[in-house]
Amino acid sequence: MNSQMDMSFQWDGIRALLAVAKHGSLLAAAAELDVSQPTLGRRIDALEAALALRLLDRGPRGVRLTPAGTALLRHAGEMEAAAGRLHLAAIGQSEAISGTVRITAPMVISHFHLPTILTDLVSTDPGLEVELIPTDSTQNLLLREADIAIRMYRPTQWDLITRKVADLPLGLYAAHSYLAEHGPPAIDVLDRHHLVGYDRDPMIITWMRHLGIEPHEGLFRVRTDDQAAYWRLVVAGAGIGANQRSIGDHEPAVARVLPDLDLPTLPVWLVSHADLMSNRLIRRTFDHLATALGRIARS
């Protein structure tokens, strides 16, 4: 073995190793990096040759890290984090007046609020392009999976800028078709009605128990954790469900029920990496979102 390790290996090989370790599959890793599987394999081969180490075991059931690959994984992750910080710092120093801003937001916000907000934004800023990522999972801002995130909780990482922009009131709603068949609910017999439930998210069950209602089998005949699909089920008459009043009060197919029920508000936070806030485009987009979302809460 050559005693002098080749240190000229490329960053692409490190990214390939991290993606394979994350997914346990060359195919899934290639899809994440938007390259072909043979290209990904060549990058891994080149990295192994440069380090003079076998990093992956390939078998009929997929791939797994060798002990050497596992030992190097933490250092590869540190390199990825450092590269991400370098990239963020460079973006933050840009004085460009045109470019793309990536925004990630929960499904309901993306479907019901952002279309109007973003249309207004790009119409008043012709140099701006927006990529919207609707998801209820958390995107990694350090790795620039997004430039700005809209979240319903306050992140606590020290290197993020956060601004609370709204508290959105919630209400319970039922379709007119549901009410015609089952009648309006009362709080003491709410458990006799059908509710649209979450699948794995325990929020609704926790809220009901807070009200002294013990959920029972058959109460949630339809369940989903997809917030946009959840609301469409309520509108279709599948059962009673909750939503932001800024959405529910403007849906003609439903009526608000139990209006005196004390429901929590939904906090809305804007989040971006601290290094990005000196970028003119990102700052303008951040401020526009803050104003528009705050206006929705006030109305």
Side-chain angles (χ1 to χ4, degrees):
M1 182 181 295
N2 189 340
S3 61
Q4 175 112 20
M5 183 180 293
D6 180 3
M7 297 301 292
S8 65
F9 56 85
Q10 295 185 357
W11 169 235
D12 283 344
I14 298 293
R15 294 183 65 217
L17 177 66
L18 288 167
V20 172
K22 174 182 176 182
H23 294 285
S25 160
L26 291 173
L27 182 62
E32 177 183 312
L33 298 179
D34 196 24
V35 298
S36 68
Q37 187 171 334
T39 297
L40 184 90
R42 287 193 294 272
R43 291 178 179 178
I44 294 291
D45 292 341
L47 181 63
E48 289 180 325
L51 296 175
L53 291 171
R54 185 165 56 85
L55 304 175
L56 297 178
D57 280 330
R58 299 166 172 86
R61 296 185 177 179
V63 295
R64 62 183 179 87
L65 292 174
T66 64
T70 301
L72 294 179
L73 192 62
R74 176 175 65 85
H75 302 291
E78 290 172 352
M79 289 179 66
E80 182 181 45
R85 289 192 294 270
L86 175 65
H87 191 198
L88 288 171
I91 295 169
Q93 295 303 310
S94 174
E95 294 294 326
I97 59 174
S98 63
T100 300
V101 177
R102 290 170 59 83
I103 300 169
T104 181
M107 298 294 286
V108 168
I109 298 289
S110 297
H111 280 254
F112 293 96
H113 294 319
L114 289 187
T116 300
I117 292 173
L118 296 182
T119 298
D120 179 59
L121 173 64
V122 297
S123 67
T124 57
D125 199 333
L128 173 66
E129 296 180 7
V130 173
E131 294 178 358
L132 175 61
I133 310 166
T135 177
D136 291 323
S137 64
T138 300
Q139 302 293 294
N140 192 322
L141 297 183
L142 177 60
L143 298 181
R144 217 200 166 196
E145 293 176 348
D147 300 312
I148 299 172
I150 300 173
R151 293 183 177 159
M152 318 319 278
Y153 62 92
R154 183 180 186 177
T156 57
Q157 293 95 322
W158 66 270
D159 50 355
L160 297 180
I161 297 294
T162 63
R163 184 192 302 179
K164 188 176 184 182
V165 296
D167 278 302
L168 300 174
L170 300 176
L172 284 183
Y173 296 91
H176 296 300
S177 58
Y178 176 90
L179 294 173
E181 180 177 354
H182 299 279
I187 185 60
D188 56 339
V189 293
L190 184 60
D191 59 346
R192 300 179 192 174
H193 281 264
H194 300 304
L195 274 67
V196 179
Y198 293 154
D199 184 18
R200 299 180 182 179
D201 189 330
M203 183 186 304
I204 293 178
I205 292 176
T206 301
W207 168 75
M208 292 188 68
R209 286 175 174 160
H210 177 72
L211 293 176
I213 303 172
E214 185 61 31
H216 58 79
E217 186 176 352
L219 180 62
F220 304 111
R221 291 197 303 175
V222 186
R223 298 179 294 274
T224 180
D225 286 332
D226 184 309
Q227 297 291 309
Y230 173 94
W231 179 240
R232 301 320 304 174
L233 286 165
V234 174
V235 172
I240 299 169
N243 204 344
Q244 304 164 33
R245 289 185 56 188
S246 55
I247 297 171
D249 289 352
H250 294 88
E251 172 54 63
V254 304
R256 189 173 170 214
V257 299
L258 299 174
D260 295 330
L261 198 60
D262 184 21
L263 295 178
T265 58
L266 192 64
V268 181
W269 292 84
L270 276 183
V271 187
S272 187
H273 195 279
D275 288 341
L276 293 180
M277 292 307 289
S278 56
N279 179 284
R280 293 168 59 185
L281 274 182
I282 292 174
R283 184 75 200 200
R284 282 210 305 269
T285 303
F286 191 97
D287 291 342
H288 180 91
L289 291 170
T291 300
L293 290 168
R295 187 181 302 120
I296 288 172
R298 290 191 298 273
S299 64

